Amino acid sequence: MAGKYYEEFEVGVTIDHEKRRTVSERDNQAFCDVTMNQQPLHLDADFAADTEFGERLVNGIYTMALATGLSIPDTTDGTIVANLSYDGVQHPNPVFHGDTIYARSTVLDKRETSDGERGVVTMRVEAFKVGDGEDPLVCEFERTVLSLKREHAA
Amino acid sequence: MAGKYYEEFEVGVTIDHEKRRTVSERDNQAFCDVTMNQQPLHLDADFAADTEFGERLVNGIYTMALATGLSIPDTTDGTIVANLSYDGVQHPNPVFHGDTIYARSTVLDKRETSDGERGVVTMRVEAFKVGDGEDPLVCEFERTVLSLKREHAA
C-alpha cells in the first residue's frame, strides 16, 4: 500500500501532495446532489449573483473532502483503521467553479494506543487554490486517524 | 427561503430533519470519485473483507456532508452568509451500503456579530442509521454558521 504505517509518520514533517484538481460546476453539483444539499448559494446562479460572492460557491465540505482525498496516497492509503476526528474545519477563502485545488499535510502529533498495537496520528491539512501570485488558503483542518502499525499489519 | 434567519434560531431547540437517504454503493463510489479519494477501505471489496469491518465502509466525510445536506432545509437554506467552522467531527459507528441515514440539529449557541448586522449560530448535528431497535449514532459534529438577520435581508 502507498500510505504510511504509524512508524513512518514523523512529527513536524510537511507533505506536499502531488495531485491537484480543477473543480468544475459538475463537481459541485454532483456533490450537492449526492449529499442532498440544495443550498441555493451552491446551485442557483441567479440567487448567488445577489450575494456578496456574486456567483455560486463550491460546497465547503466538498473542498474539505477533496483535500482529504488528495492527501490519501501519501498518508493513510490502506494503512488506516478509522478516522477519529476532524476539528477546526475552516474555509478562509471561497472556491469557485474553475479553481484548481491542491493540498498539503503536516504531522502535528503521534502516539501509540494504550495496548501498543496501533497509533493515533494528528495532521494539519491545508488546501490552496492556484492564484495569481500567492495561492489563497481555501480550507484547513486537523485530521486525527487511528493508524496501523507495520509490525501488526497482515 | 425555507431556512431560518438569525432571529428564528432558538438555543436549546432540537430539529428532527424529515428527509432521509438510503446510502448506496453508487453514492459512496461517486463521492470518492469526485473527491479523488482512492482509499481501498471504501472502494475495494476484497481488501475491505480482510479488515475488522468485513466490507466496504461508506466515506465518513460523505456521512458528514449528507447530515449537513439533510439539515439545510430547516436551518440555513438561503439564509446563510458562510459556514464558519465544523468541529469535533466523529463517526462513532460505521455506515455500510444500504444503511438509511437521518439527521437532527440542536441549537447550542447564538450571538450577534459586533456590528449587529449578522449572527453566529452553533448547532450540534447528529446523524443516525435506521437499525433494529436503537438507531446507532453514525456521525456527530458542531457546525457554526454566519447567519443573515431578517431585518437586513434583501
Side-chain angles (χ1 to χ4, degrees):
Chain A
M1 283 297 155
K4 295 188 196 313
Y5 290 100
Y6 174 72
E7 296 91 330
E8 298 168 309
F9 283 102
E10 196 174 334
V11 174
V13 166
T14 295
I15 306 162
D16 291 299
H17 307 301
E18 183 185 352
K19 293 294 182 191
R20 318 191 306 184
R21 187 185 185 94
T22 303
V23 177
S24 68
E25 178 185 48
R26 175 263 187 192
D27 288 335
N28 192 29
Q29 290 175 334
F31 189 91
C32 288
D33 289 346
V34 82
T35 63
M36 293 180 77
N37 191 320
Q38 299 189 5
Q39 180 63 255
L41 201 48
H42 303 314
L43 295 171
D44 180 337
D46 183 65
F47 175 93
D50 288 333
T51 69
E52 67 187 71
F53 300 107
E55 60 179 291
R56 286 165 292 175
L57 277 183
V58 170
N59 188 303
I61 307 181
Y62 173 68
T63 308
M64 172 198 175
L66 177 59
T68 302
L70 293 171
S71 80
I72 299 298
D74 301 317
T75 60
T76 57
D77 187 341
T79 55
I80 192 174
V81 180
N83 283 286
L84 297 180
S85 69
Y86 298 89
D87 288 283
V89 182
Q90 298 191 309
H91 300 89
N93 287 288
V95 176
F96 301 111
H97 302 157
D99 285 343
T100 298
I101 306 297
Y102 64 91
R104 70 181 184 205
S105 300
T106 302
V107 181
L108 298 181
D109 188 52
K110 62 180 279 188
R111 62 178 173 80
E112 289 187 352
T113 54
S114 55
D115 62 8
E117 295 191 354
R118 293 164 167 178
V120 175
V121 180
T122 299
M123 290 167 268
R124 168 166 297 283
V125 183
E126 296 166 297
F128 302 86
K129 65 177 177 183
V130 176
D132 297 331
E134 195 178 356
D135 294 345
L137 180 69
V138 294
C139 186
E140 62 178 334
F141 54 92
E142 289 188 13
R143 175 180 179 228
T144 299
V145 304
L146 184 60
S147 181
L148 292 170
K149 290 180 80 167
R150 181 181 289 279
E151 62 181 290
H152 293 287
Chain B
M1 283 297 156
K4 296 186 195 315
Y5 289 99
Y6 175 73
E7 296 91 329
E8 299 168 307
F9 283 102
E10 195 174 333
V11 174
V13 166
T14 295
I15 306 162
D16 290 299
H17 307 301
E18 182 186 353
K19 293 294 182 190
R20 318 190 305 183
R21 187 183 185 94
T22 302
V23 177
S24 67
E25 177 185 49
R26 175 265 187 191
D27 289 334
N28 191 31
Q29 289 175 334
F31 188 91
C32 287
D33 289 347
V34 82
T35 63
M36 294 179 76
N37 190 321
Q38 300 188 6
Q39 180 63 255
L41 201 47
H42 303 313
L43 296 171
D44 180 336
D46 182 64
F47 175 92
D50 288 332
T51 70
E52 66 186 73
F53 300 107
E55 60 180 291
R56 285 165 292 175
L57 276 183
V58 170
N59 188 305
I61 307 181
Y62 174 69
T63 308
M64 173 199 175
L66 176 59
T68 302
L70 293 172
S71 80
I72 299 297
D74 302 316
T75 61
T76 58
D77 187 340
T79 56
I80 191 174
V81 181
N83 283 287
L84 297 180
S85 69
Y86 298 89
D87 289 283
V89 182
Q90 297 191 309
H91 300 88
N93 286 288
V95 176
F96 301 111
H97 301 157
D99 285 343
T100 298
I101 306 297
Y102 64 91
R104 70 182 185 204
S105 300
T106 302
V107 182
L108 298 181
D109 188 51
K110 63 180 278 189
R111 64 179 172 80
E112 288 187 351
T113 53
S114 55
D115 62 10
E117 295 191 354
R118 292 165 168 178
V120 176
V121 180
T122 299
M123 291 167 268
R124 168 166 296 283
V125 183
E126 296 166 298
F128 301 86
K129 65 177 177 183
V130 176
D132 297 329
E134 195 178 357
D135 294 345
L137 179 69
V138 293
C139 186
E140 62 177 334
F141 53 94
E142 289 188 15
R143 175 181 178 224
T144 300
V145 304
L146 184 60
S147 181
L148 292 171
K149 290 179 80 167
R150 182 181 290 280
E151 63 181 287
H152 292 288

